[in-house]
């Protein structure tokens, strides 16, 4: 990894993580080893380690109880010259790993052999599901449980390694009982060597924020009266207070990625809190693009199982005024809010998914789609059977055009409110042009996500999704005009930045639900 007089090594390349299980000949690798995505929060912004040649940092985890073991090897170490010395790798990693990770390898091998076949993840089994490859279980646990705290301590380093900007949680916090951990495990068939069948695949941390609700709230959660009781009684159980439940960290190990496990873990977490009386809203903390996509499609799957959601529609009897404010009842407001509260979805997320679904219901003649990138029209039309013509839209009627204009106005109103401060600094003509550009970008993004949702539906139907995933299977195929998109793009609405033409890619950082 380093050569010549260069004593620097990429920390991303040097660090290798592996899941192992005991065997008579020593620990055997499960799946494949993998490198981290990020190490800047551990080894500095340059993500380099100074002072070694042929450096290898191997972090092994027992696949079941996640007992870690760290080994560091190299062919040559830089001799200290004055104040210049090689990086103290072990010292750096002690801030992120428990002491047990630094024990001798022989002690590690002995310890993992002693994990019996009856070992199960801590907490309570809350879901099972089967994929084409294997069986999986989701275990729900509270951070106040010492066994859970130990497990989280062992895997906390995964957060900065795989979540950009991610920081470990304080496992010793006084309010540890407000943290819930969902562990995802693959459960293999019982083996002859007496080892546990459980293999760690990923996990998510969830935190509860207490909230004050006005009297007469649409939710069935406790409101101000309950808070008043808490203030008057020292014996009141704080867990009974209404709360906003926030998904904080969400990791699927690279070994298990690409198998549809992320959406299924998210689905089971969401369903858990949908049935939790005290939860008012289910939110997500600073999601990245990949999680945003997964969440959007999963939420679309779920909402389409709700009769109330499917009943929401555009009021095509409305007249769009030439001047003055836009109508505020394009979709029935009371039904909208009642359905959102029932789904326990944050307002902005619910609005986006509803807009996406309503767009899929627009007549084909006016439904926005994905533009075929310049120069790829022929390839898009060929479909592997020789040259063909690109699809032609049906002729649109005035009624269809009116419905599309109402849908577009619904989107514009929300985008304007979301970006009011930024747009307010522009002159009126530029403000209108900027808003139109953002609308076009969001239309593209919705078309891309609808294609993604349809592809996921077709794949899950082919695999045969069991009843526990009925919500995911309920998605009816939806159409989008144009070819399958090659370069996805995030939501330009997020911060009001200029949206490019719809055939190009844009990347916009996401905001948390609480900021919306």
């Amino acid at each position: 990894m380093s050569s010549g007089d260069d004593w620097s090594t990429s920390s991303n390349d040097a660090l290798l993580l592996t899941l192992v299980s005991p065997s008579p000949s020593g620990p055997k690798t499960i799946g494949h080893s993998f490198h981290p995505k990020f190490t800047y929060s551990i080894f500095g912004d340059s993500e380099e380690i100074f002072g070694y040649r042929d450096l290898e940092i191997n972090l092994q985890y027992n696949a079941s109880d996640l007992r870690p073991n760290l080994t560091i090897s190299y062919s040559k170490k830089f001799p200290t010259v004055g104040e210049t010395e090689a990086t103290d790798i072990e010292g750096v990693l002690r801030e992120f790993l428990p002491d047990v990770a630094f024990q001798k390898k022989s002690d590690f091998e002995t310890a993992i052999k002693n994990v019996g076949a009856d070992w199960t993840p801590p907490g309570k089994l809350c879901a099972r599901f089967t994929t084409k490859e294997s069986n999986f279980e989701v275990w729900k646990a509270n951070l106040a449980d010492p066994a859970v705290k130990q497990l989280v301590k062992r895997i906390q380093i995964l957060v900065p390694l795989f979540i950009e900007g991610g920081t470990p949680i304080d496992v010793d916090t006084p309010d540890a009982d407000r943290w819930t951990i969902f562990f995802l495990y693959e459960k293999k068939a019982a083996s002859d060597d007496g080892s546990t069948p459980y293999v760690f695949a990923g996990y998510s941390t969830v935190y509860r924020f207490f909230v004050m609700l006005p009297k007469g709230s649409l939710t069935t959660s406790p409101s101000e009266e309950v808070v008043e009781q808490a203030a008057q009684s020292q014996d009141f159980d704080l867990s009974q207070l209404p709360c906003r439940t926030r998904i904080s960290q969400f990791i699927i190990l690279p070994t298990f990625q690409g198998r549809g496990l992320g959406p299924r873990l998210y689905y089971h977490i969401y369903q858990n809190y949908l049935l939790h009386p005290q939860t008012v809203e289910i939110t997500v903390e600073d999601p990245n693009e990949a999680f945003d996509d997964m969440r959007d499609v999963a939420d679309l799957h779920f909402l389409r199982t709700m009769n109330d959601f499917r009943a929401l529609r555009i009021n095509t009897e409305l007249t769009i005024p030439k001047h003055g404010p836009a109508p505020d009842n394009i979709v029935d407001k009371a039904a909208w809010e009642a359905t959102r509260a029932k789904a326990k979805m944050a307002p902005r997320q619910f609005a986006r998914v509803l807009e996406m679904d309503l767009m899929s219901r627009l007549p084909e003649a006016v439904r926005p789609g994905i533009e075929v990138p310049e120069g790829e029209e022929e390839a898009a039309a060929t479909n592997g059977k020789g040259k063909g013509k690109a699809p032609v839209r049906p002729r649109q009627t005035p009624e269809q055009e009116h419905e599309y204009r109402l849908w577009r106005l619904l989107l514009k109103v929300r985008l304007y409110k979301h970006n009011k401060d930024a747009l307010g600094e522009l002159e009126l003509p530029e403000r209108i042009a900027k808003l139109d550009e953002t609308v076009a970008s969001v239309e593209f993004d919705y078309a891309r996500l609808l294609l993604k949702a349809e592809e996921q539906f077709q794949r899950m139907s082919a695999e045969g999704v069991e009843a526990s995933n009925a919500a995911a299977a309920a998605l009816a195929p939806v159409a989008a005009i144009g070819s399958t998109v090659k370069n996805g793009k995030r939501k330009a609405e997020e911060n009001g930045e200029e949206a490019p033409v719809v055939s190009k890619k844009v990347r916009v950082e996401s905001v948390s639900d609480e900021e919306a």
Side-chain angles (χ1 to χ4, degrees), residues 272-312:
N272 179 85
Y273 288 104
L274 196 65
L275 300 175
H276 183 238
Q278 288 72 36
T279 293
V280 178
E281 285 179 5
I282 304 166
T283 65
V284 178
E285 178 183 4
D286 297 329
N288 61 20
E289 288 186 54
F291 189 94
D292 260 330
D293 278 6
M294 180 199 73
R295 178 193 187 193
D296 287 341
V297 173
D299 287 348
L300 180 64
H301 288 348
F302 162 65
L303 288 174
R304 283 178 166 175
T305 68
M306 296 178 64
N307 292 331
D308 293 346
F309 180 80
R310 293 200 301 270
L312 296 174

Side-chain angles (χ1 to χ4, degrees), residues 40-115:
Y40 60 85
S41 61
I42 299 177
F43 292 105
D45 291 342
S46 64
E47 296 187 320
E48 290 187 341
I49 299 172
F50 175 77
Y52 302 90
R53 298 271 174 80
D54 303 314
L55 176 64
E56 293 183 359
I57 306 170
N58 293 304
L59 179 58
Q60 291 186 328
Y61 277 104
N62 187 29
S64 56
D65 67 358
L66 298 170
R67 184 186 184 95
N69 182 251
L70 181 75
T71 58
I72 302 170
S73 63
Y74 48 85
S75 62
K76 194 173 183 180
K77 184 176 180 179
F78 180 81
T80 301
V81 178
E83 296 183 356
T84 304
E85 58 184 1
T87 301
D88 180 6
I89 299 172
E90 183 175 313
V92 170
L93 291 176
R94 279 190 178 276
E95 296 183 23
F96 297 88
L97 290 169
D99 291 341
V100 70
F102 302 92
Q103 292 183 339
K104 293 186 299 183
K105 193 170 187 64
S106 58
D107 293 336
F108 169 72
E109 294 179 4
T110 299
I112 65 175
K113 286 180 180 178
N114 291 331
V115 178

Side-chain angles (χ1 to χ4, degrees), residues 300 304 309-315 330-331 336 351-363 367-368 403 406-407 410 446 450:
L300 180 64
R304 283 178 166 175
F309 180 80
R310 293 200 301 270
L312 296 174
R313 60 188 66 253
I314 295 171
N315 182 4
I330 296 175
V331 175
W336 172 316
R352 291 191 68 262
V353 180
L354 176 59
E355 291 162 1
M356 192 188 313
D357 182 69
L358 291 174
M359 190 182 96
S360 75
R361 299 190 223 168
L362 291 173
R367 187 189 311 130
E403 184 177 0
L406 284 170
W407 177 84
L410 178 73
Y446 286 173
L450 287 169

Side-chain angles (χ1 to χ4, degrees), residues 114-164:
N114 291 331
V115 178
D118 60 346
W119 184 93
T120 60
K124 178 182 178 181
L125 175 63
C126 65
R128 290 190 179 98
F129 63 87
T130 301
T131 68
K132 191 162 53 175
E133 297 91 356
S134 191
N135 299 313
F136 290 87
E137 295 182 352
V138 179
W139 289 72
K140 175 186 174 184
N142 192 280
L143 189 59
D145 181 340
V148 177
K149 182 181 295 187
Q150 180 189 65
L151 210 59
V152 173
K153 275 185 177 181
R154 292 177 173 183
I155 57 178
Q156 282 276 65
I157 195 173
L158 298 177
V159 174
L161 294 181
F162 292 99
I163 300 177
E164 188 169 7

Side-chain angles (χ1 to χ4, degrees), residues 213-218 223-225 228:
L213 296 178
K215 294 180 179 180
S217 168
L218 284 171
S223 56
E224 288 180 346
E225 291 87 349
E228 291 173 3

Side-chain angles (χ1 to χ4, degrees), residues 12 32 212 449:
N12 290 341
H32 60 82
M212 293 283 288
L449 288 167

